[in-house]
Amino acid sequence: MTKKINIAIDGYSSCGKGTLAKVIAKSLNYIFIDTGAMYRAVTYAMIQKGIDVNNLVELEELLKSLNITFKHLPEGDFYHTFLNGEDIENDIRTMPVSNLVSQVSKIQIVRDFLVKQQQEIGAQKGVVMDGRDIGTVVFPDAELKIFMTAKAEIRAQRRLNELKENGNLNISFEEVLKNLNERDYIDSNRENSPLLKAQDAIVIDNSELSKAEQNELALSFAHKAIENA
Ligand code: DC
């Protein structure tokens, strides 16, 4: 029987980590986990309850009441995030959540709460997880680590297209680019688990790569890592 491994995919906002992670997971029949969606779910819950990022007492109480799950229907490419049983996939992709999520993901009690769940999911192996600290903090022993990047303007255009496809028509390119640059800055400079390339991660810059080229490259790394495991 082939050995199952864990695959960590880290990198900047909107550089296609999730898309690539899903392709790899589908091809290997592994579980895909979008950890950004988990930070977004906590942010969404805080906005819903009106909890300020500085109110750690209320935040701690809130975390105890949160149950974040994913529902995956591979045939339709349906991959939705649920919070306490409610489908929040669209809510967590809106600008109010995007504008606050980097502030929320700086908070150590939020990171501890989510990292513990991520490590529990990974204990069984056969997981492709995308985020910012997967190769450095969540799975420092992952058998394959990929660090993805692309030019900010290219990422902003891709994100804008995605938002428009989902019906968010009143957003400008400049607004999306500004949000991306701000998130990149906060994610890379925060004290707790900043976005960092793990020393043993393979870098993929997909600014000039087609999706097919990128998938082929990443899958070849994955097959090699499984062989060597
Ligand atoms: O991948 P994304 O853009 O949906 O992530 C949303 C935010 O969550 C991002 O600004 C940084 C944060 N995040 C994090 O701090 N650690 C992770 N493992 C994943 C996301």
Side-chain angles (χ1 to χ4, degrees), residues 35-36 39-40 101-102 105 111 131-133 183 187 190:
T35 62
Y39 288 92
R40 287 170 180 272
V101 64
S102 282
S105 48
R111 302 206 73 83
R132 305 292 188 290
D133 60 341
R183 284 204 286 145
D187 294 347
R190 68 179 174 224

Side-chain angles (χ1 to χ4, degrees), residues 97-222:
V97 173
S98 294
N99 284 333
L100 192 66
V101 64
S102 282
Q103 297 296 335
V104 173
S105 48
K106 281 204 283 194
I107 305 170
Q108 192 61 48
I109 56 169
V110 173
R111 302 206 73 83
D112 291 345
F113 172 76
L114 294 178
V115 167
K116 183 165 173 275
Q117 294 178 24
Q118 292 154 9
Q119 289 175 333
E120 280 166 8
I121 298 168
Q124 59 187 316
K125 297 273 180 179
V127 175
V128 185
M129 199 171 272
D130 90 85
R132 305 292 188 290
D133 60 341
I134 311 304
T136 50
V137 174
V138 180
F139 300 147
D141 298 328
E143 290 82 351
L144 175 62
K145 299 178 186 177
I146 294 176
F147 189 87
M148 288 180 68
T149 180
K151 290 194 187 86
E153 287 74 15
I154 291 179
R155 291 188 279 130
Q157 189 57 53
R158 289 177 185 157
R159 184 87 191 101
L160 183 67
N161 296 346
E162 214 173 86
L163 283 163
K164 293 214 155 143
E165 273 165 31
N166 290 328
N168 300 290
L169 302 175
N170 295 324
I171 296 171
S172 67
F173 173 80
E174 287 69 28
E175 201 180 338
V176 176
L177 181 63
K178 182 168 173 275
N179 172 263
L180 271 189
N181 282 331
E182 279 169 5
R183 284 204 286 145
D184 285 351
Y185 182 82
I186 300 175
D187 294 347
S188 307
N189 291 286
R190 68 179 174 224
E191 208 174 303
N192 303 324
S193 312
L195 169 63
L196 266 183
K197 182 185 98 58
Q199 258 186 345
D200 50 349
I202 298 169
V203 177
I204 296 182
D205 181 335
N206 66 13
S207 305
E208 313 290 337
L209 290 181
S210 70
K211 274 195 183 150
E213 287 169 332
Q214 165 186 286
N215 295 346
E216 196 183 324
L217 189 65
L219 277 171
S220 73
F221 293 139

Side-chain angles (χ1 to χ4, degrees), residues 80-97:
H80 280 202
T81 311
F82 286 72
L83 182 63
N84 299 340
E86 183 199 345
D87 186 341
I88 54 161
E89 187 60 29
N90 287 335
D91 306 287
I92 61 172
R93 310 288 166 193
T94 56
M95 287 312 275
V97 173

Side-chain angles (χ1 to χ4, degrees), residues 62-79:
L62 175 77
L63 292 176
K64 286 185 201 146
S65 73
L66 300 185
N67 179 27
I68 302 166
T69 51
F70 297 104
K71 198 173 197 174
H72 187 200
L73 304 175
E75 61 277 10
D77 250 355
F78 179 96
Y79 188 90

